[in-house]
């Protein structure tokens, strides 16, 4: 995909071992690729409609956050390595092989079918 830039896009979730399904609804995603955008992340917000993609990143924290979040660690090919729910005031350990981190409100990733082994695509 080349160099990532701050912006918006649509995230689509594909089942493991299948081609991308066009009938899956897309999830609005904000892309935080600059140092400033990654540092700010979800701080100061009361929620998020959709998700936030931090790139490059392999760990996150929830200090000074106002709500619990789901965190998905993604590899270079946007395969999900792990999904965790983090309450405010927590520090996530760095995840080996992770190149991107996807954040959303707690419970959202389960609704989207996001779990280890699933691949996501990003349309900008």
């Amino acid at each position: 995909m080349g160099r990532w830039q701050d912006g918006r896009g649509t995230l689509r979730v594909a089942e493991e071992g299948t081609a991308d399904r066009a009938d899956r609804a897309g999830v609005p995603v904000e892309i935080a690729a600059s140092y400033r955008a990654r540092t700010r992340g979800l701080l100061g917000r009361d929620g998020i409609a959709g998700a936030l993609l931090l790139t490059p990143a392999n760990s996150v924290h929830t200090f000074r956050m106002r709500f619990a979040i789901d965190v998905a660690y993604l590899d270079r090919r946007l395969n999900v390595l792990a999904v965790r729910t983090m309450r405010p005031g927590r520090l996530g350990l760095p995840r080996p092989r992770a190149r991107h981190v996807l954040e959303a409100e707690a419970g959202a990733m389960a609704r989207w079918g996001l779990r280890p082994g699933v691949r996501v695509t990003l349309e900008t």
Side-chain angles (χ1 to χ4, degrees):
M1 178 164 187
R3 186 164 174 89
W4 294 76
Q5 294 184 355
D6 293 345
R8 296 186 180 276
T10 303
L11 187 78
R12 299 201 186 277
V13 180
E15 294 297 324
E16 183 179 13
T18 63
D20 295 340
R21 292 179 45 182
D23 61 333
R24 287 236 179 198
V27 175
V29 65
E30 296 176 36
I31 302 167
S34 68
Y35 176 78
R36 183 176 181 170
R38 286 192 318 267
T39 302
R40 174 133 196 256
L42 295 175
L43 295 176
R45 299 188 195 190
D46 291 322
I48 183 171
L52 176 69
L53 179 71
L54 304 170
T55 181
N58 66 356
S59 68
V60 295
H61 68 82
T62 58
F63 299 127
R64 297 185 324 202
M65 291 200 52
R66 299 177 181 168
F67 58 98
I69 61 171
D70 282 345
V71 177
Y73 297 93
L74 310 174
D75 68 8
R76 293 174 196 254
R77 293 183 178 92
L78 300 180
N79 294 312
V80 178
L81 300 172
V83 178
R84 302 283 183 260
T85 299
M86 295 177 65
R87 295 179 302 185
R90 301 290 187 243
L91 176 64
L93 296 175
R95 189 83 185 174
R97 295 189 359 226
R99 297 295 177 263
H100 317 283
V101 175
L102 189 65
E103 298 180 340
E105 286 192 29
M109 292 187 186
R111 288 191 307 273
W112 302 335
L114 213 61
R115 62 185 181 281
V118 169
R119 185 174 188 157
V120 298
T121 58
L122 184 64
E123 300 167 1
T124 55

